[in-house]
Amino acid sequence: MAHRQGNRRRIRRAAALVPVAIAATCLAACGGGGEGPVIGESDEFIERADEICLDTAQGLADARAEAGTAEEPAEAVALINSELPIRLDGLRRLQEVEAPSHQAEAWERFLAIQEDRVAAQEDALAAAQEADADSFQSAEAEFERLSDEADELGARVGLGACANRLPPAGEGDVVEVVEDLLTSPDSA
């Protein structure tokens, strides 16, 4: 008999917890007090950001095609000087994009990394102007490390072009621009 009462109590306690578990699940899924994503808000954010990144990538690919391969410090200076305004304009435009509240923290971090990438490219420019190969290589390595970090974070946010992720087959214009950018001899 005592065994049955213990089982009944456990069943009653478990039954009492079901509504609490359901409420907790709903709050977690919805983000709590109205902080969840608005339908379409994330898609619009991602579309705007990726459009800017794709436009920037096209500008960089065009600048690289025009400048050619940078094998000497003076050529690197010319190439970076042609790329920096494009990167800065892309960054400025990305900073104008407002992320949904559930993505705001990651987006701010993504933008900070983009700022650091510009700084690394400015360091590479200064090193190239001084013909300092070691400093140039160091700045380029930092730029690549930051690029990898930005790509990873961008992918977690759901970005495509901003994370250098190729789209599904059939979107040839995007594939061509990203491949041009990523396969050029000077992919900095």
Side-chain angles (χ1 to χ4, degrees), residues 147-160:
S147 296
D148 291 344
E149 188 177 342
D151 291 350
E152 183 180 311
L153 183 58
R156 279 190 274 152
V157 171
L159 301 171

Side-chain angles (χ1 to χ4, degrees), residues 63-80 83 183-187:
R64 287 188 186 137
E66 189 175 309
T69 303
E71 295 180 11
E72 299 294 323
E75 294 167 333
V77 168
L79 178 61
I80 295 171
E83 288 182 345
T183 59
S184 79
D186 303 307
S187 64

Side-chain angles (χ1 to χ4, degrees), residues 44-131:
E44 184 178 314
F45 157 69
I46 289 168
E47 184 178 310
R48 287 187 62 215
D50 276 343
E51 181 179 300
I52 294 166
C53 288
L54 184 60
D55 184 53
T56 302
Q58 181 64 62
L60 291 169
D62 291 347
R64 287 188 186 137
E66 189 175 309
T69 303
E71 295 180 11
E72 299 294 323
E75 294 167 333
V77 168
L79 178 61
I80 295 171
N81 275 328
S82 69
E83 288 182 345
L84 268 173
I86 297 166
R87 288 191 193 284
L88 288 168
D89 179 61
L91 176 60
R92 179 194 55 76
R93 291 169 52 207
L94 287 172
Q95 289 169 329
E96 293 172 358
V97 176
E98 189 172 333
S101 59
H102 69 284
Q103 292 173 307
E105 186 176 325
W107 179 242
E108 289 303 316
R109 177 70 186 127
F110 179 83
L111 293 174
I113 294 169
Q114 297 304 321
E115 290 170 2
D116 291 345
R117 288 178 71 225
V118 167
Q121 194 168 42
E122 289 170 337
D123 291 345
L125 175 61
Q129 289 170 330
E130 297 295 320

Side-chain angles (χ1 to χ4, degrees), residues 167-184:
E171 296 182 33
D173 57 334
V174 175
V175 172
E176 184 179 325
V177 169
V178 175
E179 284 178 344
D180 283 350
L181 181 64
L182 296 178
T183 59
S184 79

